[in-house]
């Protein structure tokens, strides 16, 4: 899921300085799970803003990155001076695209794609590089989990299973070795990975995925 954290209140207030009637929009998916932008957080944010003199209303959408959910607000948006989105950067941009005449401002900083390891504890697992190689590395991603994104084994700084960048971080390649050993697949470590193509990553510009089999109109047009 996408992990995000709330911005400092002073930063949010500064962005809202010219506006008085604010729609505080929570999001019901990833940021709800990581306790940064769901219904409870949106109501808490609205209460804090009202203490500073803002007029706030709260809505929590199932997802802010999906047209079928945000379009329900089309008739309401003109009532507000600005929208404070409690979603990730995708939700902020998607709503800003739909209502270009209304400022849509972020309440969160989007951090990474990660997993929930414990209450209030999330760790990065994926960078969305678009060319997954987890079948070769025992389900451990060297792109996201190796500090240097090494593809053909650990660097010389790895010691006792820890990363040289921070000895509290597990060496991703130690994890890969241990996982492959348990699966009797250590032979995979002998296969040299080819030069990496980053055309599927962010380096190639904004990415998109289109399933024409799920969209009749697109399929007919093409």
């Amino acid at each position: 899921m996408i992990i995000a954290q709330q911005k400092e209140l002073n930063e949010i207030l500064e962005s809202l300085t010219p506006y008085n009637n604010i729609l505080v929009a929570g999001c019901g998916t990833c940021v709800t799970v990581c306790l940064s932008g769901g219904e409870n957080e949106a109501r808490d944010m609205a209460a804090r803003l009202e203490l500073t003199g803002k007029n706030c209303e709260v809505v929590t959408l199932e997802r802010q990155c999906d047209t079928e959910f945000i379009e329900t607000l089309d008739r309401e948006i003109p009532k507000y001076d600005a929208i404070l989105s409690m979603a990730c950067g995708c939700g902020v941009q998607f709503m800003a695209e739909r209502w270009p005449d209304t400022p849509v401002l972020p309440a969160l900083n989007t951090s990474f794609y990660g997993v929930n390891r414990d209450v209030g504890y999330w760790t990065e697992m994926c960078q969305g590089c678009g060319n997954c190689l987890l079948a070769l590395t025992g389900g451990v991603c060297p792109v996201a989990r190796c500090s240097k994104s090494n593809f053909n084994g650990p660097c010389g700084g790895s010691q006792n299973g820890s990363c040289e960048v921070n000895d509290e971080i597990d060496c991703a390649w130690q994890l890969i070795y241990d996982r492959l050993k348990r699966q009797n697949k250590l032979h995979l470590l002998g296969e040299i990975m080819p030069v990496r193509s980053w055309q599927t990553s962010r380096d190639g510009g904004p990415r998109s995925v289109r399933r024409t089999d799920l969209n009749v109109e697109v399929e007919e047009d093409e």
Side-chain angles (χ1 to χ4, degrees):
M1 67 179 184
I2 296 176
I3 311 301
Q5 302 176 74
Q6 284 193 17
K7 291 178 175 289
E8 294 292 333
L9 182 60
N10 286 341
E11 181 180 351
I12 294 172
L13 286 173
E14 183 176 354
S15 70
L16 291 173
T17 298
Y19 313 113
N20 188 48
N21 297 316
I22 311 298
L23 176 65
V24 180
C27 190
T29 48
C30 301
V31 294
T32 292
V33 177
C34 66
L35 308 175
S36 57
E39 175 77 17
N40 292 336
E41 293 76 30
R43 292 194 177 280
D44 178 70
M45 178 63 69
R48 289 192 287 165
L49 294 178
E50 287 176 344
L51 290 175
T52 70
K54 302 293 184 183
N55 297 321
C56 298
E57 290 190 26
V58 176
V59 63
T60 300
L61 302 169
E62 183 70 21
R63 289 190 297 276
Q64 291 186 24
C65 57
D66 196 319
T67 300
E68 71 172 296
F69 297 112
I70 68 172
E71 67 182 2
T72 60
L73 295 178
D74 282 346
R75 294 183 179 180
E76 302 298 316
I77 295 305
K79 298 193 310 186
Y80 305 106
D81 300 330
I83 302 167
L84 182 67
S85 171
M86 304 287 291
C88 69
C90 295
V92 176
Q93 293 183 74
F94 199 49
M95 295 208 300
E97 182 179 279
R98 186 169 187 88
W99 305 301
D101 296 327
T102 302
V104 181
L105 307 168
L108 308 182
N109 291 319
T110 304
S111 302
F112 51 78
Y113 309 150
V115 296
N116 188 352
R117 294 194 178 275
D118 203 345
V119 177
Y121 177 43
W122 299 270
T123 61
E124 185 173 18
M125 301 288 276
C126 176
Q127 289 188 7
C129 72
N131 190 1
C132 191
L133 45 74
L134 291 174
L136 302 176
T137 57
V140 178
C141 177
V143 179
R145 300 179 69 181
C146 170
S147 298
K148 299 179 180 179
S149 295
N150 286 344
F151 279 88
N152 286 294
C155 67
S158 174
Q159 296 291 328
N160 301 317
S162 295
C163 174
E164 70 171 341
V165 172
N166 184 337
D167 60 14
E168 294 185 0
I169 298 175
D170 291 328
C171 170
W173 278 97
Q174 182 67 56
L175 296 176
I176 291 170
Y177 175 88
D178 293 342
R179 187 75 57 78
L180 292 177
K181 184 177 181 180
R182 290 173 66 95
Q183 297 176 3
N184 296 315
K185 293 182 178 180
L186 284 177
H187 63 278
L188 293 176
L189 293 176
E191 298 182 13
I192 303 299
M193 295 190 188
V195 176
R196 181 75 168 174
S197 170
W198 292 102
Q199 290 179 324
T200 56
S201 76
R202 181 61 183 82
D203 295 354
R207 296 166 288 179
S208 64
V209 174
R210 173 173 287 175
R211 286 278 303 275
T212 56
D213 59 313
L214 300 178
N215 190 319
V216 176
E217 292 183 0
V218 171
E219 189 172 21
E220 291 177 349
D221 291 341
E222 296 181 349

